[in-house]
């Protein structure tokens, strides 16, 4: 979490899957619909921080908590099925295109890109059919665009499958790629 804070990426603690079943979650919600893949607090957007003291305190209190990164602040995330993501990543590498950070989260690949949420006036912000919030995940099996009001589970978080997410291309502090260029490549592969 401190590594993310050093990049200027806010984070907050997330629930974790419990051993003994893919539907068991560390949250206190009976019948949790998204075990181990959501923030611990409903106030996650306000709580997410880059403050090292706060982050250290949170993870000392809850050392096994997953890592939630809010999107639409510093970065957006394109979230695609693993097969399409790996194909797109190979194409980007072959073309010498900048990929930016890329993570593997189970059957999904996440491409971190510069955010498009730069409007000075909130009324100027626009959404599109690819925008996805946490509640709409199941409705978007293909390409998902996590931007404002959404979040992603970041490595080394433990996924509901019991495996940990991992970086295919870890963040290194370089500027994030233009989302429209990455979207163009991903849209071709996801069609």
């Amino acid at each position: 979490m401190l590594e993310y804070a050093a990049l200027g990426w806010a984070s907050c603690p997330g629930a974790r899957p419990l051993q003994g079943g893919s539907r068991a979650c560390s949250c206190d919600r009976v019948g949790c619909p998204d075990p181990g893949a959501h923030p611990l607090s409903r106030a996650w957007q306000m709580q997410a921080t880059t403050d090292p003291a706060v982050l250290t305190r949170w993870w000392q209190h809850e050392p096994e908590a997953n890592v939630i990164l809010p999107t639409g602040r510093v970065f957006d995330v394109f979230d695609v099925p693993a097969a399409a993501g790996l194909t797109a990543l190979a194409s980007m590498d072959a073309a010498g295109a900048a990929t930016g950070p890329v993570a593997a989260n189970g059957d999904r690949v996440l491409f971190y890109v510069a955010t498009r949420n730069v409007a000075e006036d909130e009324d100027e912000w626009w959404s599109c059919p690819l925008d996805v919030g946490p509640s709409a995940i199941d409705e978007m099996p293909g390409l998902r665009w996590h931007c404002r009001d959404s979040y992603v589970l970041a490595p080394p978080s433990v996924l509901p499958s019991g495996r940990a997410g991992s970086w295919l291309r870890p963040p290194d502090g370089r500027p994030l790629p233009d989302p429209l260029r990455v979207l163009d490549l991903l849209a071709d592969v996801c069609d």
Side-chain angles (χ1 to χ4, degrees), residues 47-162:
Q47 288 180 332
T49 184
T50 58
D51 183 321
V54 173
L55 294 168
T56 299
R57 186 174 63 247
W58 281 343
W59 268 275
Q60 282 175 342
H61 177 62
E62 191 77 41
E64 294 180 1
N66 276 339
V67 181
I68 299 294
L69 298 177
T71 56
R73 294 179 181 185
V74 175
F75 56 84
D76 289 352
V77 172
F78 292 121
D79 171 351
V80 297
L86 296 174
T87 299
L89 189 57
S91 295
M92 293 168 86
D93 287 345
T99 62
V102 180
N105 271 9
D107 63 350
R108 309 290 297 183
V109 173
L110 309 179
F111 290 81
Y112 289 68
V113 297
T115 187
R116 298 287 293 176
N117 187 23
V118 293
E120 293 293 323
D121 179 358
E122 285 290 316
D123 293 332
E124 291 179 21
W125 183 80
W126 53 270
S127 65
C128 74
L130 294 175
D131 288 351
V132 64
S135 63
I137 292 293
D138 292 335
E139 300 165 15
M140 302 286 287
L143 175 63
R144 306 169 186 159
W145 187 342
H146 295 271
C147 55
R148 189 172 77 169
D149 298 331
S150 188
Y151 59 82
V152 292
L153 202 59
S157 295
V158 177
L159 306 168
S161 67

Side-chain angles (χ1 to χ4, degrees), residues 26-53:
S26 67
C27 73
D28 58 2
R29 190 170 172 192
V30 175
C32 176
D34 205 10
H38 60 84
L40 284 175
S41 171
R42 292 178 195 250
W44 61 272
Q45 291 174 308
M46 292 182 292
Q47 288 180 332
T49 184
T50 58
D51 183 321

